[in-house]
Amino acid sequence: MNLNRLTHAGNQCENCPAHNIPNLKKLGINMDKVDQVIALAGNPNTGKSTVFNNLTGLKQHTGNWPGKTVTRAEGTFEYNTKRFKIVDLPGTYSLLSTSTDEEIARDFILFGQPDVTVIVADSTRLERNLNLTLQVLEITDRAILCLNLMDEAARHRISIDTKQLSKELGIPVIEAEARQKKGMNELLQSIDEIISGRYKCKPFRMNKLSPQIEHSLKQLEVLIKKEFPNMPNSRWVALRLLEGDQKIIDSIRSGEIGLIHSYNQNDLSNNIYEKNTV
Amino acid sequence: MKNRENILNKANELRWEIGESLHDNLLESIYKFATEISSRVIAVDVSKKSKSFDSKLDQILTSSKFGFPIMFLLLALVFWLTIEGANIPSSLLSSFLIDSIYPQLKTFSSNIGLPFWVDGILIDGCYLAMAWVIAVMLPPMAIFFPLFTLLEDFGYLPRVAFNMDFLFKRAGAHGKQALTMAMGFGCNAAAVISTRIIDSPRERLIAIITNNFSLCNGRWPMQILIATIFIGALAPSHLAGLFSAAAVVGITLLGILLALLVSWSLSKTILKGEASAFSLELPPYRPPRILKTLYTSLIDRTIFVLWRAVVFAVPAGAMIWLVSNITFEGLSIAEWFINWANPFGLLIGLNGVILLAYIIAIPANEIVLPTILMLTVLVAGTPEIGAGSGVMFELDSAAATANVLSLGEWSLLTGVSIMLFSLMHNPCSTTIYTIYKETGSVKWTFVAAVLPLLIGFVFCFFLAQIWRLFG
């Protein structure tokens, strides 16, 4: 895999893995024999663990109550000759608070840089689920929205224009009924399309806060970009700094945050880094 | 380095300029965008009110009038089914593992000429401990867990939390503690990890310290058996099952009450603070998938818990055999300790045997009862009932267990006291270790381990004094 990556080094690499191996290892993920890393995020009780079980064939306990998964669960599967590691994150309503479960989810998406983040949403409560979706899209630009429980939505006579939704969010939107194993193939295909670069996400970003805040963000972003020129989500980092997020403050101070996106740009130095940290 | 500090300083400066409005502003725009997007993609057919089933059910299950009674009835129903259903498979299992396999193992070991202490530790200690745990625990777990999981799968647990939320808030704790408490009815160690859903460290500590008042599955079987022997016996035989179930429900409710009281005292003293607000989502009811639930609750929970119990019972069995067979001036170590601890035990309505059993069983609550029975026979000096010193044995019926306990001069008070003490004592070593890992603090781990034990001593002491005064 490293060989593969070396030959693809450079800014324009589209289909080499984006995940950050040193950080993933730090987060406790065993990266042996893994080509791609998928994260499962979503509100509590939307069926993340059911999707996880469907993809991995594992039998992780699922339950109908929010807060079932408070730790990460991991599994692996193969698709199109690629080996995937999938990480089931704790269900959260937002990524803005400081509870442990929200931090686990956010840190994984931010520092682990999964190749694709699948956001599992409850179709019967789409509006509320979009709150988290929008926050995830601020952090990462490779995401899929999996509209789970479509059967429940139909029962409640709710219909969703998924094509329009996909356009609005700039990411693929997949309809699913995970309990009946429906939509899983489409989800896998979509994952494959993003990883291979056939689908390019253009994630929706919120850019109209109050003028004063926008002004402050701009000033901060300029400074951040100067110190960490390759950071793609500098606006989000600036926002977190303004909010006084201790974890982000620490990672700026230690420079760790700069490693987030340097991986593809400078493979050699990172391979050395990897060796040193193992 | 300097640039980085510059960034942080600038951020500090700007943060002061903006003031408090940022977080609200951000949330507002998230909500605004979410609403805008949804309005463009979601269409709801309101011509038929298909939601009415869920909300009607919620009106009943979470109503202030019926919410609690329904909760108690469901709880009682689950226990009653467990008590009534577990008897027969339990005695089948024990007759197979102990009446058939055990003698064969003994014959085999004497045929190949094993030294008595190897035979004693392995077969009388380890094997019987394991067999006892399987016979006593497997049937109730195989009934209790699927029933509980069905309720969970249906979506009832969040309603319980919803009903109890105001109580916890009034106790100065987090409303979500109701959920972690419910988790504790399965396993306290798992529940301690589940307190991660609580954001505030203060409220999380309260939830961790008080979680032990949720009876875990290691303690259900003993509660059920002791209730059957001592409480069920007070009722006419056709009502015995109901009486026993009611007693277990009573202990469970006392546990909830204690969790609330202790949370309240903690939040008024060493963990002062206001309860933080949170929103609890009531998930839609979903038809439980019965076969899937049976499978996962049997494989994930029952077998998992059973395996844990066996793993702990095996070394404990060996240890019991050793302390009962290593003698010092004519008495075994076990007897020395029991004689020494007996006066203190009696003072709190228990006895020396029970205290020793609780020390031996620190790794797993599951093996408290078998240890008690074995030690009772040892001290009463009637090995013909059991199988000799240091041998854990199984009794085919609750009545036979009662016979042994009467040898140890157990009274109704002893029965009630041990049910209470089982609710109020230190968590098992796995839970203590988990608490240490989650809090990272020796001090709080110590508090969580010792506080329930102290409460148990005090509670049982006063109960025994009052009981003897009027009894």
Side-chain angles (χ1 to χ4, degrees):
Chain A
M1 198 174 71
N2 283 337
L3 264 180
N4 175 30
R5 185 168 294 131
L6 283 173
T7 56
H8 282 84
N11 269 330
Q12 303 309 311
C13 168
E14 268 165 13
N15 52 2
C16 65
H19 55 252
N20 188 319
I21 289 193
N23 276 343
L24 281 168
K25 283 189 174 159
K26 237 192 242 167
L27 287 160
I29 305 286
N30 177 5
M31 290 297 292
D32 288 348
K33 298 183 183 163
V34 175
D35 297 327
Q36 313 286 346
V37 179
I38 314 285
L40 272 182
N43 281 23
N45 208 33
T46 53
K48 284 178 300 301
S49 299
T50 313
V51 171
F52 176 87
N53 286 348
N54 280 345
L55 294 181
T56 57
L58 291 172
K59 299 267 192 292
Q60 217 210 350
H61 179 68
T62 56
N64 185 11
W65 56 298
K68 184 71 212 35
T69 312
V70 285
T71 48
R72 285 183 330 224
E74 292 171 38
T76 50
F77 66 92
E78 271 195 40
Y79 183 74
N80 268 358
T81 70
K82 283 199 184 101
R83 281 154 310 191
F84 289 85
K85 172 147 262 174
I86 183 159
V87 180
D88 189 12
L89 298 172
T92 56
Y93 293 106
S94 85
L95 299 175
L96 297 171
S97 99
T98 48
S99 66
T100 315
D101 49 350
E102 290 194 11
E103 259 182 19
I104 289 175
R106 188 202 66 189
D107 286 355
F108 189 83
I109 301 173
L110 180 64
F111 296 109
Q113 285 183 275
D115 296 286
V116 178
T117 301
V118 176
I119 307 155
V120 182
D122 178 348
S123 308
T124 62
R125 288 141 195 252
L126 181 59
E127 185 175 334
R128 175 141 25 106
N129 283 241
L130 281 179
N131 293 332
L132 177 76
T133 309
L134 293 175
Q135 292 175 47
V136 173
L137 291 186
E138 292 286 311
I139 306 181
T140 176
D141 49 11
R142 292 174 305 272
I144 297 172
L145 180 63
C146 172
L147 285 180
N148 195 21
L149 300 163
M150 284 303 278
D151 45 344
E152 296 260 341
R155 191 161 71 84
H156 292 296
R157 295 172 190 277
I158 298 168
S159 54
I160 298 170
D161 184 347
T162 45
K163 268 193 192 143
Q164 179 64 25
L165 183 57
S166 168
K167 247 192 228 160
E168 301 258 355
L169 296 175
I171 56 170
V173 176
I174 308 292
E175 298 181 21
E177 295 163 25
R179 275 155 64 107
Q180 275 71 40
K181 300 193 176 42
K182 282 186 193 160
M184 295 298 111
N185 272 329
E186 291 80 353
L187 181 59
L188 284 169
Q189 269 168 23
S190 183
I191 290 173
D192 192 52
E193 277 174 14
I194 290 187
I195 283 171
S196 65
R198 273 176 285 144
Y199 187 104
K200 281 207 147 211
C201 297
K202 295 186 190 72
F204 176 88
R205 295 267 155 96
M206 294 175 282
N207 48 12
K208 282 180 220 144
L209 301 168
S210 81
Q212 191 200 5
I213 294 173
E214 285 297 336
H215 182 67
S216 310
L217 281 175
K218 290 260 157 58
Q219 295 181 43
L220 214 45
E221 247 193 289
V222 171
L223 289 179
I224 295 171
K225 279 224 161 113
K226 215 163 90 194
E227 173 74 7
F228 305 106
N230 296 324
M231 187 186 295
N233 38 17
S234 51
R235 184 188 153 85
W236 185 83
V237 171
L239 204 56
R240 296 312 300 159
L241 284 181
L242 278 184
E243 279 224 61
D245 186 320
Q246 195 55 48
K247 186 109 186 186
I248 302 298
I249 292 176
D250 292 344
S251 65
I252 291 263
R253 189 165 282 142
S254 68
E256 190 188 354
I257 205 151
L259 292 173
I260 292 184
H261 272 255
S262 58
Y263 201 89
N264 288 334
Q265 268 93 38
N266 197 344
D267 277 314
L268 275 171
S269 64
N270 266 295
N271 280 338
I272 292 163
Y273 175 80
E274 186 186 331
K275 266 177 206 147
N276 289 338
T277 50
V278 169
Chain B
M1 265 332 261
K2 220 176 139 206
N3 282 343
R4 293 175 195 164
E5 288 303 325
N6 265 347
I7 298 174
L8 298 179
N9 290 338
K10 185 76 184 169
N12 262 331
E13 190 186 304
L14 291 167
R15 197 178 308 135
W16 283 107
E17 279 173 26
I18 295 170
E20 301 269 301
S21 65
L22 175 64
H23 194 76
D24 294 343
N25 202 296
L26 186 63
L27 282 180
E28 246 168 58
S29 60
I30 292 172
Y31 285 125
K32 196 187 81 192
F33 284 121
T35 312
E36 277 176 19
I37 295 174
S38 327
S39 71
R40 289 195 286 269
V41 299
I42 302 177
V44 185
D45 176 3
V46 285
S47 61
K48 280 192 181 173
K49 285 182 187 162
S50 52
K51 261 191 162 172
S52 59
F53 172 73
D54 274 25
S55 50
K56 264 185 199 157
L57 198 56
D58 265 342
Q59 269 172 16
I60 301 171
L61 291 182
T62 62
S63 81
S64 50
K65 239 191 227 163
F66 301 115
F68 278 97
I70 290 177
M71 206 170 88
F72 300 147
L73 282 178
L74 274 175
L75 204 59
L77 181 72
V78 168
F79 292 138
W80 182 75
L81 287 172
T82 308
I83 290 172
E84 293 286 322
N87 261 338
I88 297 169
S90 242
S91 59
L92 283 178
L93 270 174
S94 72
S95 76
F96 172 70
L97 290 174
I98 289 140
D99 299 346
S100 315
I101 305 274
Y102 173 68
Q104 284 175 23
L105 283 176
K106 288 298 267 188
T107 322
F108 176 73
S109 89
S110 71
N111 282 349
I112 60 169
L114 278 182
F116 84 98
W117 59 272
V118 174
D119 168 279
I121 290 179
L122 287 183
I123 301 174
D124 295 335
C126 299
Y127 171 76
L128 276 184
M130 184 197 74
W132 210 98
V133 164
I134 292 177
V136 167
M137 291 192 56
L138 182 58
M141 284 196 313
I143 299 172
F144 180 76
F145 285 150
L147 287 176
F148 200 76
T149 316
L150 280 176
L151 281 181
E152 185 184 331
D153 210 26
F154 177 59
Y156 184 65
L157 280 191
R159 271 84 191 172
V160 171
F162 183 85
N163 285 338
M164 311 215 31
D165 158 52
F166 79 99
L167 291 173
F168 281 97
K169 249 190 216 147
R170 208 173 286 175
H174 199 288
K176 278 190 200 166
Q177 196 180 322
L179 275 178
T180 60
M181 183 196 73
M183 191 85 170
F185 288 136
C187 170
N188 296 132
V192 166
I193 296 176
S194 82
T195 59
R196 290 180 188 180
I197 58 175
I198 297 172
D199 339 2
S200 120
R202 180 189 78 87
E203 289 158 333
R204 198 175 159 209
L205 263 176
I206 294 180
I208 289 176
I209 293 169
T210 57
N211 191 269
N212 194 43
F213 295 119
S214 295
L215 284 175
C216 66
N217 52 49
R219 296 182 270 172
W220 291 118
M222 186 173 85
Q223 292 286 349
I224 290 169
L225 192 63
I226 297 288
T228 312
I229 293 172
F230 289 97
I231 313 289
L234 296 176
S237 62
H238 63 284
L239 290 177
L242 276 181
F243 258 65
S244 323
V248 182
V249 172
I251 294 283
T252 313
L253 295 183
L254 180 66
I256 297 176
L257 191 70
L258 274 168
L260 286 167
L261 278 176
V262 174
S263 300
W264 180 79
S265 340
L266 286 173
S267 74
K268 290 280 173 269
T269 55
I270 44 175
L271 287 168
K272 254 186 203 146
E274 292 299 308
S276 52
F278 78 109
S279 61
L280 179 70
E281 183 177 21
L282 289 182
Y285 292 101
R286 286 170 196 156
R289 288 156 300 169
I290 299 193
L291 286 178
K292 178 121 199 305
T293 303
L294 277 179
Y295 177 85
T296 47
S297 64
L298 279 179
I299 299 302
D300 287 2
R301 284 189 163 168
T302 312
I303 300 299
F304 173 79
V305 172
L306 190 70
W307 176 241
R308 201 185 89 87
V310 168
V311 165
F312 281 110
V314 166
M319 194 180 139
I320 291 168
W321 190 88
L322 285 173
V323 295
S324 328
N325 283 279
I326 297 176
T327 54
F328 179 68
E329 293 182 4
L331 282 179
S332 66
I333 296 177
E335 283 167 300
W336 276 108
F337 180 86
I338 290 167
N339 291 340
W340 174 78
N342 211 36
F344 176 67
L346 290 175
L347 202 62
I348 57 173
L350 304 170
N351 55 42
V353 168
I354 298 175
L355 292 181
L356 177 57
Y358 266 100
I359 293 172
I360 293 178
I362 283 177
N365 281 298
E366 291 84 349
I367 55 173
V368 168
L369 195 60
T371 310
I372 286 174
L373 292 174
M374 185 280 299
L375 291 171
T376 302
V377 172
L378 173 77
V379 173
T382 48
E384 62 270 21
I385 287 191
S389 26
V391 181
M392 282 214 249
F393 54 88
E394 155 70 350
L395 298 142
D396 289 353
S397 65
T401 310
N403 279 340
V404 172
L405 293 180
S406 73
L407 268 181
E409 292 169 356
W410 280 49
S411 61
L412 180 58
L413 172 64
T414 325
V416 173
S417 298
I418 199 174
M419 282 175 82
L420 290 170
F421 192 69
S422 150
L423 177 70
M424 298 174 258
H425 73 282
N426 53 289
C428 71
S429 55
T430 312
T431 306
I432 295 177
Y433 177 63
T434 311
I435 293 174
Y436 174 70
K437 271 203 307 196
E438 291 294 313
T439 61
S441 143
V442 176
K443 180 182 127 199
W444 290 115
T445 311
F446 181 77
V447 170
V450 172
L451 188 70
L453 191 63
L454 280 179
I455 293 175
F457 282 149
V458 171
F459 205 103
C460 289
F461 173 78
F462 281 108
L463 176 80
Q465 301 317 308
I466 293 168
W467 188 291
R468 284 175 186 141
L469 210 62
F470 294 99

